[in-house]
Amino acid sequence: GAGVSQSPSNKVTEKGKDVELRCDPISGHTALYWYRQSLGQGLEFLIYFQGNSAPDKSGLPSDRFSAERTGGSVSTLTIQRTQQEDSAVYLCASSSPGLERNYRYNEQFFGPGTRLTVL
Amino acid sequence: QKEVEQNSGPLSVPEGAIASLNCTYSDRGSQSFFWYRQYSGKSPELIMFIYSNGDKEDGRFTAQLNKASQYVSLLIRDSQPSDSATYLCAVRNTGGFKTIFGAGTRLFVKA
């Protein structure tokens, strides 16, 4: 079956421009995560959506970052007035907590990422 | 203090040896612990999950959890060159599904 898809795969933009990154989760997955990975670094948590609950936005680095998830499926991460330090790979993941064993298991399936370069 | 800490490495082991990867976490109430493998230029993929103290074995992989010490490890037996990757420790915190990743340990298995 189809995995998590992200678009675009690469995005080059000029400093100060706005960008939108899209994530299509696995069908039926209720949880969706956004992470940022800078070169040679680990994954930095940005935001998490679970069903109809209010998203956990605690990882967003500034108010230039926002995300929404429409209809419990597709999500868009928007970065306004991009800065050079925003350059990174943005990864989206989805999971299906409803299938958890004892509510502890939560395998996240990652998309291929969007490589953002801010000039 | 970072929430999830790993030695960045690189850790280099000869083929056939045991690779030992370590991770510590700061949230004492954390419930679930994951090891993801990430090949260069690729996305992470889950290889091990553990939530009870002790050892959990799956093929050549063993995850070890010690909640009292806030420590989780991954052992890879009979290491192969194809195991060369970055291994990310991830911890799911209490009360939700937010998952915090460590910075990862780069492993090189020399043929």
Side-chain angles (χ1 to χ4, degrees):
Chain A
V4 178
S5 61
Q6 292 186 245
S7 61
S9 56
N10 279 284
K11 177 71 176 179
V12 180
T13 190
E14 294 180 348
K15 178 182 174 180
K17 300 284 190 181
D18 297 352
V19 296
E20 284 190 352
L21 312 180
R22 176 188 168 106
C23 173
D24 249 300
I26 292 172
S27 178
H29 280 191
T30 57
L32 187 148
Y33 303 77
W34 282 100
Y35 297 93
R36 176 168 71 175
Q37 188 170 36
S38 301
L39 187 63
Q41 302 299 310
L43 274 66
E44 176 188 4
F45 169 80
L46 297 178
I47 188 169
Y48 155 72
F49 298 88
Q50 167 54 31
N52 295 320
S53 302
D56 181 338
K57 304 179 181 180
S58 59
L60 294 178
S62 77
D63 58 9
R64 296 187 296 105
F65 288 73
S66 62
E68 61 178 21
R69 188 179 185 192
T70 53
S73 181
V74 172
S75 176
T76 302
L77 177 69
T78 300
I79 308 173
Q80 296 179 310
R81 305 181 302 282
T82 51
Q83 303 295 312
Q84 289 183 331
E85 60 263 29
D86 299 334
S87 296
V89 174
Y90 289 80
L91 289 164
C92 173
S94 71
S95 71
S96 185
L99 297 179
E100 285 191 29
R101 299 190 293 271
N102 299 319
Y103 298 99
R104 294 187 178 93
Y105 180 74
N106 180 33
E107 178 176 4
Q108 296 182 38
F109 295 86
F110 285 83
T114 293
R115 181 174 298 278
L116 174 66
T117 303
V118 182
L119 301 177
Chain B
Q1 179 190 9
K2 293 182 179 178
E3 294 182 72
V4 179
E5 295 207 50
Q6 296 181 252
N7 187 323
S8 63
L11 173 65
S12 183
V13 300
E15 184 176 0
I18 296 175
S20 177
L21 306 166
N22 305 315
C23 172
T24 58
Y25 59 94
S26 60
D27 183 353
R28 184 170 289 279
S30 297
Q31 297 192 5
S32 305
F33 308 86
F34 306 83
W35 284 99
Y36 283 80
R37 177 176 62 199
Q38 186 175 26
Y39 291 113
S40 180
K42 301 295 185 182
S43 296
E45 57 180 344
L46 182 69
I47 54 171
M48 287 293 287
F49 153 72
I50 188 168
Y51 64 88
S52 296
N53 275 327
D55 295 359
K56 179 181 178 182
E57 187 174 319
D58 184 0
R60 295 186 296 110
F61 299 97
T62 299
Q64 299 175 317
L65 175 62
N66 183 326
K67 290 186 178 180
S69 300
Q70 296 174 241
Y71 173 94
V72 59
S73 66
L74 178 70
L75 300 178
I76 306 174
R77 291 182 300 281
D78 188 23
S79 295
Q80 302 296 309
S82 58
D83 295 327
S84 297
T86 295
Y87 289 81
L88 300 165
C89 173
V91 177
R92 184 180 138 191
N93 68 355
T94 51
F97 296 95
K98 178 179 176 179
T99 305
I100 302 299
F101 283 77
T105 298
R106 286 180 296 154
L107 172 67
F108 291 107
V109 181
K110 299 174 293 185

